Amino acid sequence: MIDVQNMRGKLTKDRSLADLTWLRVGGPADYLYQPADLEDLSQFLSQLPAEISVFPMGVGSNLIVRDGGLRAVVIRLGRGFNQIAIEGDEVVVGAAALDAHVARKSADAGIDLTFLRTIPGSIGGAVRMNAGCYGHYIADVFQSATLVTRQGEIREIGAEELAFQYRQTAFPEGAVLVAARLKGPEGDPEALHARMAAQLKKRDETQPTKDRSAGSTFRNPAGFSSTGKANDVHDLKAWKVIDDAGQRGARLGGAQMSEMHSNFLINTGDATAADLEGLGEQVRNAVYQNSGVKLQWEIMRVGEVLEKRH
């Protein structure tokens, strides 16, 4: 058992992660730690032996945990880290706050963060992967973030250090993001809520929101998100090259590329992580053979492959 003095959070050994991910697959983590508050997290990390890996986990919306599980302490932030506070034209949010909640509360205050409304997941993950849609990204509204380093130090980090790119940042290894400060343009609350309602309607019409998925499977080869506008170009969209390779609806075990949106990988009911990742690799190979395009995973895959028994 990990020997950390005076910890106030909840430490669970050999905790299955399947029920904590949207795809509902994956083996156990060596440990799951749910810190009580910022001070508790800092103390826990400062005492945790340096050789033990740390994996911060949000709501598991963009994640495949492999069937063999994760040799690490998974840090999962809860209620003490989900605050949303309006400070003038800025929004200070805890990393566990859901993107959709941040968009709604900001709109109430006349701050336009509407692009977050349809992004699955929490702010911690959104910052870490520079989430975005409709031509807008976290990088556009990001002011600063608070994190706890692997050594337990609490510090502020700015945009320059994060080095935002399409769907990636230079986030420090082993650090846990605990809060972010965002600044969006002004807007009329009623108009902002109406825009979000329209975005939700469009999403539900075009994406398999009722299936077990993890959002977009692959990054767009063009290097930017869909703008949602009438003049949007689709030549180098992930769904288009997947379609062109004949992979819409492709299956492997309990995994399937959605018939509704071919860049969505879904668990039809009994998929393993190996099924899901294997189908993704099958699709990547088919796309490369067909068009020479090398699709990059947008879903994070972590953990160990479960060795098959003969």
Side-chain angles (χ1 to χ4, degrees):
M1 195 72 175
I2 290 175
D3 183 23
V4 172
Q5 303 301 310
N6 303 317
M7 62 180 176
R8 291 175 288 112
K10 182 181 179 185
L11 183 68
T12 309
K13 194 174 189 299
D14 296 326
R15 173 62 159 85
S16 172
L17 299 177
D19 64 315
L20 300 180
T21 72
W22 283 28
L23 282 165
R24 294 292 187 265
V25 296
D30 286 349
Y31 294 92
L32 174 73
Y33 191 61
Q34 298 162 281
D37 52 31
L38 180 58
E39 184 184 357
D40 181 52
L41 173 61
S42 171
Q43 183 170 298
F44 178 82
L45 289 175
S46 70
Q47 294 185 51
L48 192 66
E51 67 272 13
I52 298 178
S53 296
V54 166
F55 180 74
M57 181 176 175
V59 293
S61 60
N62 186 48
L63 182 68
I64 292 175
V65 177
R66 296 186 178 108
D67 301 304
L70 200 52
R71 306 290 73 79
V73 175
V74 170
I75 306 288
R76 196 160 195 261
L77 305 181
R79 287 186 181 155
F81 297 88
N82 66 352
Q83 76 280 5
I84 304 172
I86 307 298
E87 296 184 1
D89 59 354
E90 296 185 339
V91 187
V92 181
V93 294
L98 296 179
D99 300 333
H101 291 176
V102 175
R104 287 202 301 264
K105 192 153 185 178
S106 300
D108 290 342
I111 299 173
D112 184 358
L113 296 177
T114 53
F115 75 95
L116 288 170
R117 180 64 183 88
T118 59
I119 297 176
S122 56
I123 287 294
V127 170
R128 186 160 186 158
M129 67 171 291
N130 191 19
C133 63
Y134 305 121
H136 299 281
Y137 302 88
I138 281 285
D140 301 329
V141 299
F142 179 85
Q143 300 298 297
S144 65
T146 305
L147 56 79
V148 183
T149 69
R150 176 61 185 81
Q151 294 72 39
E153 178 193 0
I154 301 169
R155 56 183 293 255
E156 294 290 309
I157 188 170
E160 191 172 306
E161 195 173 344
L162 278 178
F164 286 106
Q165 296 182 56
Y166 174 60
R167 293 295 186 266
Q168 59 184 314
T169 59
F171 196 79
E173 185 69 30
V176 181
L177 191 143
V178 293
R181 182 177 290 271
L182 310 175
K183 182 178 182 179
E186 287 183 29
D188 173 66
E190 194 172 322
L192 296 178
H193 280 287
R195 184 189 303 165
M196 290 189 292
Q199 289 171 353
L200 281 175
K201 183 173 183 292
K202 183 175 181 180
R203 182 192 67 175
D204 291 344
E205 288 170 352
T206 58
Q207 298 177 9
T209 53
K210 291 182 171 58
D211 292 323
R212 283 186 194 168
S213 84
S216 296
T217 305
F218 303 108
R219 302 175 185 175
N220 282 325
F224 53 86
S225 297
S226 298
T227 65
K229 296 178 180 176
N231 63 352
D232 204 357
V233 179
H234 301 291
D235 295 355
L236 280 177
K237 296 291 174 59
W239 70 263
K240 181 69 164 59
V241 295
I242 292 170
D243 275 6
D244 290 347
Q247 294 299 297
R248 182 179 288 262
R251 287 178 175 265
L252 180 65
Q256 182 184 16
M257 300 309 293
S258 170
E259 293 277 8
M260 188 178 196
H261 190 309
S262 54
N263 193 28
F264 278 67
L265 181 60
I266 59 176
N267 179 353
T268 62
D270 59 352
T272 61
D275 290 341
L276 292 158
E277 189 171 13
L279 179 57
E281 289 300 322
Q282 174 187 306
V283 169
R284 290 183 71 230
N285 290 334
V287 167
Y288 182 67
Q289 293 298 324
N290 184 64
S291 63
V293 171
K294 291 184 177 180
L295 287 176
Q296 301 297 313
W297 281 90
E298 185 164 317
I299 296 174
M300 182 183 288
R301 290 110 47 238
V302 297
E304 298 182 348
V305 174
L306 190 64
E307 295 298 327
K308 292 181 179 177
R309 294 177 180 174
H310 297 287

